[in-house]
Amino acid sequence: MIDSEAMFNSNGHKVRLVEKGGRERTANVILFQSEWDSGCNEACIWLDDNVEPGIVQQSDISSIEVLD
């Protein structure tokens, strides 16, 4: 699991994200929510990738790389 600081730093950027199951996605992070704000009891990011936009929880992310 990545730390929430890496997720916070991706806010507003295009990222390459790898989920725990190995699925790779390239998307824009449009919102970061801390564990206290998300309602998920963990940090979350909101993605806009024109394929499957939505929320990804911290525990589901293996790695994240800012591309821009």
Side-chain angles (χ1 to χ4, degrees), residues 7-47:
M7 294 173 67
F8 175 79
N9 291 336
S10 71
N11 195 26
H13 294 281
K14 185 175 186 173
V15 299
R16 179 176 298 120
L17 176 129
V18 178
E19 296 178 1
K20 290 263 176 149
R23 179 178 173 206
E24 190 172 310
R25 298 171 72 178
T26 301
N28 295 311
V29 177
I30 57 174
L31 180 66
F32 165 82
Q33 289 186 311
S34 70
E35 63 185 274
W36 300 280
D37 297 327
S38 69
C40 302
N41 294 325
E42 61 184 296
C44 297
I45 53 176
W46 291 65
L47 300 178

Side-chain angles (χ1 to χ4, degrees), residues 47-67:
L47 300 178
D48 179 12
D49 66 1
N50 296 322
V51 175
E52 188 181 339
I55 299 171
V56 180
Q57 296 179 345
Q58 183 177 9
S59 62
D60 294 332
I61 301 172
S62 294
S63 66
I64 191 166
E65 173 189 2
V66 175
L67 299 175

